[in-house]
């Protein structure tokens, strides 16, 4: 196991020089024979490997090894060490534990910035300046608070690491209830995000080649579904990397591309002439019910822009942890840097995009707005570079969001067979998952509306469940400020989840019926 459990200082025992005897052994030969016999090493039957320092031929011998083993058992009992599940060494999330604060920053940036940021101006078109900025600020501070809760709950119980979100939910809510509450939204968030990434990645590749080729690609162009297939194939090839730590470089590429294209998107938008008929009045429908559901869907889009908490415990699980150096220290250090950069991207995109297009913002988001309003104003090379960066980011985000699903597949296999997955079995799982996401994307090709529904259904994972789990595991004093705060945030999170889900469903049913928007052919 790569994780070093703790450091134990050993006190050296003075050895008797060779050729000399101790006073006890020189007294009588029979006592020497008995002493020699009593020092005969007898390795326990359960021992599979013994370090040379404690081997029978080593300087410490069996008695010292027994002392260290006893000391280790005591430290485990008092929580200084973590008891490990042997199966974790076979699974993608916990297979490698050499992560650090840099890896944490890369992964958190990759999951925290993505295509969902480009849809934020759509929410502002229905909320307006005041309510849009207030909702975005509240959501950012709220999710940052719950992220800190998850980081601290990773090792809340001495001697135990909760390496997955579902494991922590089971510890807080119980075995069965924890699975029912956490498994569906986390899997739905991973699979739904992967499907949305295939949709936006395929459509962006199509736009990229239309810009680069121009009239040369008009004779026999690929259809949108064929572009989805091309993007899915690239995702499957990259998904063959074995574990979460092995994709740290991929996450770094995803983070850099996300920072670049979000900055380019709002800079290019605000630098161009605004449309003549622009207005900043929030969009309203004829009926009060339709307007209410549109507002709820917009709030769901904002909630979905802060997805990623379903991967916080998994990212922290890739780091070594000892009593002196717990894993939450580098994790929180990397997360703070990541979410500072995330704020520097989300707020300018939302505010700058709404300033540039107002309520004329297409439902598809900033990419569609750039292509619809400034196709001839922005240099083709710069516009094509922006779209290419989006493709790279979608490829990178697909890997980290799919990792919990890969982990679940392999956990089911290893628990039944009691052996790790072979390379062929692992590859088969990932190919199967990639094409399942592809077929779901073909069946549900409404990316702009699914963002609100995703935000509503998965909102408890980010905004509600961490507060409840803190109360149930840490048990703060009843009626204290901490107790009231977490109960209030948790209940509000559940209520918002139900309301935003209703708004997302309404938007999916009525998308395109009330408002015109640009959509690539």
């Amino acid at each position: 196991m790569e994780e070093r459990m703790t450091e134990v200082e050993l006190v050296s025992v003075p050895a008797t020089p060779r050729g000399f005897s101790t006073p006890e052994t020189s007294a009588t030969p029979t006592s020497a024979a008995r002493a020699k016999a009593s020092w005969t090493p007898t390795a326990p039957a359960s021992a599979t490997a013994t370090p040379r320092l404690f081997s029978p031929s080593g300087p410490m011998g069996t008695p010292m090894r027994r002392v260290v083993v006893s000391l280790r058992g005591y430290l485990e009992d008092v929580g200084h060490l973590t008891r490990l599940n042997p199966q974790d060494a076979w699974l993608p999330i916990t297979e490698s534990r050499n992560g650090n604060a840099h890896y944490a920053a890369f992964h958190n940036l990759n999951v925290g910035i993505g295509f969902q940021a480009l849809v934020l101006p759509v929410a502002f078109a229905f909320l307006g300046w005041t309510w849009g900025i207030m909702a975005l600020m509240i959501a950012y501070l709220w999710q940052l608070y719950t992220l800190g809760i998850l980081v601290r709950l990773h090792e809340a119980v001495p001697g135990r690491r909760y390496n997955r979100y579902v494991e922590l939910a089971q510890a807080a809510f119980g075995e069965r209830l924890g699975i029912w509450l956490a498994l569906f939204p986390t899997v739905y968030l991973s699979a739904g995000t992967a499907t949305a990434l295939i949709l936006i990645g395929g459509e962006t590749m199509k736009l990229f080649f239309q810009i680069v080729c121009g009239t040369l690609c008009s004779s026999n162009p690929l259809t949108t579904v064929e572009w989805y297939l091309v993007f899915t194939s690239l995702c499957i090839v990259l998904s063959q990397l074995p574990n979460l730590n092995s994709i740290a470089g991929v996450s770094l590429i995803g983070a850099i591309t996300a920072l670049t294209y979000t900055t380019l998107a709002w800079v290019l938008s605000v630098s161009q002439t605004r449309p003549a008929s622009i207005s900043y009045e929030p969009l309203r429908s004829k009926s009060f019910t339709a307007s209410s559901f549109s507002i709820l869907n917009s709030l769901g889009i904002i909630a979905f822009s802060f997805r990623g908490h379903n991967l916080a415990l998994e990212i922290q699980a890739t780091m070594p942890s000892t009593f002196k150096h717990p894993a939450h220290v580098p994790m929180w250090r990397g997360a703070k840097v990541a979410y500072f950069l995330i704020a520097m991207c989300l707020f300018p995109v939302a505010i700058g995009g709404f300033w540039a297009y107002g309520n004329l913002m297409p439902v598809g988001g900033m990419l569609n707005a750039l292509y619809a309003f400034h196709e001839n104003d922005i240099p083709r090379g710069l516009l094509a570079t922006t779209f290419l960066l989006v493709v790279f980011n979608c490829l990178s985000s697909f890997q980290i969001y799919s990792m919990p699903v890969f982990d679940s597949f392999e956990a089911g296999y290893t628990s039944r067979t009691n052996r790790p997955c072979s390379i062929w079995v692992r590859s088969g799982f990932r190919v199967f998952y990639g094409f399942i996401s592809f077929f779901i994307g073909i069946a549900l090709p409404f990316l702009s509306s699914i963002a609100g529904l995703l935000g509503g259904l998965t909102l408890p994972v980010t905004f509600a469940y961490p507060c409840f789990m803190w109360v149930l595991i840490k048990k703060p004093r009843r009626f204290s400020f901490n107790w009231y705060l977490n109960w209030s945030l948790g209940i509000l999170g559940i209520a918002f989840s139900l309301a935003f889900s209703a708004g997302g469903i309404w938007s999916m049913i009525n998308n395109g019926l009330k408002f015109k928007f640009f959509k690539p052919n």
Side-chain angles (χ1 to χ4, degrees):
M1 184 63 64
E2 295 185 11
E3 179 181 8
R4 178 178 297 176
M5 306 308 302
T6 190
E7 296 181 0
V8 180
E9 294 184 359
L10 301 177
V11 179
S12 60
V13 179
T16 304
R18 185 172 298 180
F20 295 89
S21 59
T22 61
E24 290 78 10
T25 56
S26 61
T28 57
T30 55
S31 63
R34 284 195 301 269
K36 184 177 180 180
S38 65
W39 280 78
T40 302
T42 55
S46 62
T48 57
T50 304
R52 186 181 183 280
L53 182 65
F54 304 125
S55 64
S57 59
M60 294 302 179
T62 302
M64 182 57 70
R65 180 167 59 84
R66 290 175 177 171
V67 170
V68 174
V69 169
S70 300
L71 179 60
R72 175 172 176 154
Y74 169 75
L75 292 175
E76 287 180 345
D77 290 337
V78 300
H80 287 197
L81 294 180
T82 303
R83 292 186 178 90
L84 297 178
N85 181 3
Q87 188 184 9
D88 281 346
W90 301 338
L91 302 180
I93 289 176
T94 50
E95 189 175 56
S96 173
R97 292 186 185 268
N98 59 355
N100 51 43
H102 298 90
Y103 286 14
F106 301 159
H107 289 316
N108 279 287
L109 273 172
N110 194 20
V111 302
I113 309 179
F115 70 90
Q116 77 282 0
L118 302 176
V119 192
L120 281 175
V122 178
F124 274 53
F126 291 92
L127 297 174
W129 281 117
T130 304
W131 291 108
I133 293 175
M134 286 180 59
L136 188 60
M137 179 66 73
I138 291 172
Y140 177 79
L141 296 176
W142 191 346
Q143 62 85 32
L144 196 61
Y145 171 73
T146 54
L147 177 65
I149 286 178
L150 290 176
V151 170
R152 285 178 286 175
L153 288 180
H154 181 81
E155 295 175 285
V157 177
R160 175 71 189 272
R161 293 184 71 176
Y162 298 108
N163 297 316
R164 297 161 183 85
Y165 196 100
V166 176
E167 293 178 7
L168 183 61
Q170 288 179 297
F173 304 120
E175 293 291 331
R176 290 190 176 182
L177 184 60
I179 290 181
W180 280 103
L181 291 177
L183 185 62
F184 171 75
T186 53
V187 172
Y188 181 78
L189 184 57
S190 295
T193 303
T195 301
L197 287 168
I198 289 176
L199 295 178
I200 191 66
E203 290 182 359
T204 308
M205 288 182 73
K206 180 179 179 180
L207 290 175
F208 170 76
F209 276 90
Q210 284 179 354
I211 294 173
V212 172
C213 296
T215 57
L216 298 177
C217 300
S218 60
S219 58
N220 189 21
L222 295 177
T223 64
T224 303
V225 174
E226 290 173 337
W227 281 115
Y228 292 162
L229 183 59
V230 171
F231 184 83
T232 304
S233 301
L234 295 175
C235 289
I236 291 174
V237 171
L238 274 180
S239 68
Q240 302 308 312
L241 293 171
N243 54 62
L244 191 54
N245 263 339
S246 66
I247 66 170
V250 176
S251 289
L252 176 60
I253 294 174
I256 294 174
T257 53
L259 290 170
T260 306
Y261 78 70
T262 52
T263 303
L264 280 175
W266 71 264
V267 168
L268 291 176
S269 297
V270 300
S271 63
Q272 302 298 318
T273 303
R274 288 180 291 175
S277 58
I278 189 173
S279 173
Y280 299 110
E281 289 295 324
L283 291 172
R284 292 289 182 264
S285 299
K286 294 181 180 180
S287 65
F288 175 77
T289 303
S291 297
S292 300
F293 279 121
S294 298
I295 292 173
L296 291 176
N297 181 62
S298 301
L299 293 173
I301 292 174
I302 292 178
F304 181 59
S305 65
F306 294 108
R307 79 213 197 287
H309 283 42
N310 61 310
L311 290 164
L313 295 172
E314 285 79 354
I315 294 172
Q316 194 169 346
T318 63
M319 302 178 184
S321 184
T322 67
F323 182 65
K324 292 183 179 179
H325 305 285
H328 71 82
V329 175
M331 175 64 183
W332 185 238
R333 190 184 303 123
K336 286 188 293 185
V337 174
Y339 276 86
F340 172 78
L341 296 176
I342 289 171
M344 294 297 100
C345 292
L346 297 187
F347 284 89
V349 166
I351 297 173
F354 185 57
W355 181 88
Y357 307 108
N359 55 19
L360 298 177
M361 172 64 64
V363 181
M366 292 284 285
L367 291 182
N368 283 357
L370 285 172
Y371 192 83
F373 293 105
H374 305 299
E375 180 184 4
N376 299 321
D377 301 331
I378 299 175
R380 289 177 56 188
L382 192 57
L383 196 60
T385 301
T386 303
F387 290 162
L388 184 61
L389 292 172
V390 174
V391 173
F392 286 155
N393 175 255
C394 290
L395 285 170
S396 303
S397 297
F398 183 91
Q399 308 309 316
I400 191 167
Y401 268 96
S402 301
M403 198 60 70
V405 181
F406 300 156
D407 189 83
S408 299
F409 285 162
E410 296 188 27
Y413 176 85
T414 56
S415 62
R416 287 180 176 84
T417 61
N418 198 27
R419 64 169 181 251
C421 292
S422 65
I423 187 173
W424 299 110
V425 173
R426 174 172 283 182
S427 298
F429 282 147
R430 302 184 181 196
V431 171
F432 170 78
Y433 173 74
F435 282 110
I436 285 293
S437 301
F438 166 74
F439 287 121
I440 293 175
I442 295 176
L444 304 173
F446 31 79
L447 172 64
S448 59
S449 298
I450 203 174
L453 181 60
L454 280 171
L457 291 177
T458 60
L459 184 145
V461 173
T462 301
F463 295 96
Y465 289 165
C467 301
F468 290 138
M469 291 188 289
W470 178 266
V471 172
L472 295 174
I473 293 178
K474 286 297 188 178
K475 295 181 173 55
R477 185 170 56 86
R478 294 190 65 182
F479 308 118
S480 62
F481 174 78
N482 189 275
W483 188 86
Y484 274 119
L485 176 64
N486 286 284
W487 273 114
S488 300
L489 292 178
I491 293 172
L492 280 176
I494 296 297
F496 287 154
S497 173
L498 297 175
F500 297 169
S501 299
I505 294 173
W506 179 90
S507 179
M508 287 172 57
I509 295 173
N510 296 275
N511 184 30
L513 298 180
K514 302 293 183 182
F515 307 104
K516 295 180 180 180
F517 61 96
F518 168 79
K519 187 174 180 62
N521 294 325

